Amino acid sequence: MIEIGLTGGIGSGKSTVADMLVERGAVLIDADRIVRDLQEPGAPVFEAMVERWGSAVVAEDGTLDRAAVAAIVFTDDNELKAINDIVHPAVGEAMQARRDDLKETDAIVVFDIPLLVKSEDDPVDERYSHLQGIIVVDTDVEIAVERLVLHRGFDADDARSRIILQASREARRAVADIIIDNSGDLDSLGPQVDAAWVWAESLGSR
């Protein structure tokens, strides 16, 4: 098994790159999708969040109101820590279980992890020592803001505040083995993903 980390800031187009890698043969373990599964009604993470914040985070149909959660946690450091303490251990266990299922295969496994890098001095090597390489999807901040406004309905100021809370572009680029510039269109993205895939395949021969 070859294990590759994939990360990028919000609005960078990381999920698009992940899907393109899957098209080329990768097996994807997506932290965000795992989070959504863990936050389904009745799941322990969902119940813990409701216990913490009550009905304010439950939509009319009984599912998690993600916008309400974001309004709470992205404006208060204590609440942000609280949700991280609830979600991150469960996500880590789920990702490890999926990794264990694949460890005896020859798959190229891409771990899509938004928070793979947390800060400039974050010891990524210690937390993700199993990774054989890291791909970073990099995008200009204003392009990311524009995408979040156009495609995800964000307010521009809210988008910028979310970006500020994440690791800087410089911190992510510093740990990258491969940097994919997603400031352009799909036509310019495809060849970069092709090159990243060739690189990932080469790791199996080292």
Side-chain angles (χ1 to χ4, degrees):
M1 177 173 65
I2 298 171
E3 300 178 273
I4 305 295
L6 174 67
T7 194
I10 185 171
S12 67
K14 174 179 55 61
S15 295
T16 299
V17 171
D19 290 341
M20 294 173 77
L21 289 168
V22 170
E23 291 172 359
R24 286 154 176 78
V27 175
L28 180 65
I29 298 180
D30 186 333
D32 278 346
R33 291 175 191 175
I34 290 173
V35 169
R36 288 195 289 272
D37 290 343
L38 294 172
Q39 291 175 339
E40 287 293 319
V45 168
F46 176 87
E47 298 299 332
M49 293 176 68
V50 174
E51 181 179 351
R52 170 83 184 190
W53 294 293
S55 60
V57 298
V58 181
E60 290 184 3
D61 63 359
T63 61
L64 188 69
D65 187 335
R66 300 182 192 282
V69 174
I72 293 170
V73 304
F74 288 115
T75 57
D76 187 313
D77 289 345
N78 290 329
E79 301 300 350
L80 183 61
K81 181 180 184 304
I83 194 171
N84 287 340
D85 289 345
I86 292 170
V87 173
H88 287 179
V91 172
E93 289 179 10
M95 293 183 76
Q96 182 61 48
R98 297 189 186 186
R99 180 174 176 248
D100 289 344
D101 290 340
L102 294 162
K103 65 183 179 182
E104 300 302 327
T105 75
D106 59 359
I108 296 177
V109 182
V110 173
F111 294 83
D112 184 338
I113 309 174
L115 298 180
L116 188 149
V117 182
K118 295 182 179 180
S119 65
E120 280 78 0
D121 58 355
D122 176 51
V124 172
D125 290 346
E126 295 178 15
R127 291 189 295 114
Y128 297 104
S129 59
H130 60 92
L131 296 178
Q132 291 162 265
I134 294 173
I135 299 171
V136 170
V137 184
D138 185 53
T139 307
D140 179 81
V141 170
E142 289 308 310
I143 292 176
V145 169
E146 181 180 355
R147 289 173 178 165
L148 291 169
V149 171
L150 290 176
H151 303 301
R152 293 175 59 179
F154 277 66
D155 172 81
D157 289 339
D158 183 31
R160 289 189 181 89
S161 68
R162 302 281 188 96
I163 290 170
I164 289 171
L165 286 172
Q166 294 186 333
S168 68
R169 292 175 67 192
E170 291 76 18
R172 282 190 292 266
R173 291 172 68 94
V175 304
D177 295 285
I178 297 287
I179 296 173
I180 293 178
D181 178 7
N182 192 23
S183 298
D185 57 18
L186 286 176
D187 288 341
S188 62
L189 188 60
Q192 296 184 77
V193 176
D194 286 336
W197 182 246
V198 170
W199 163 79
E201 290 183 310
S202 75
L203 297 176
S205 62
R206 294 182 183 179

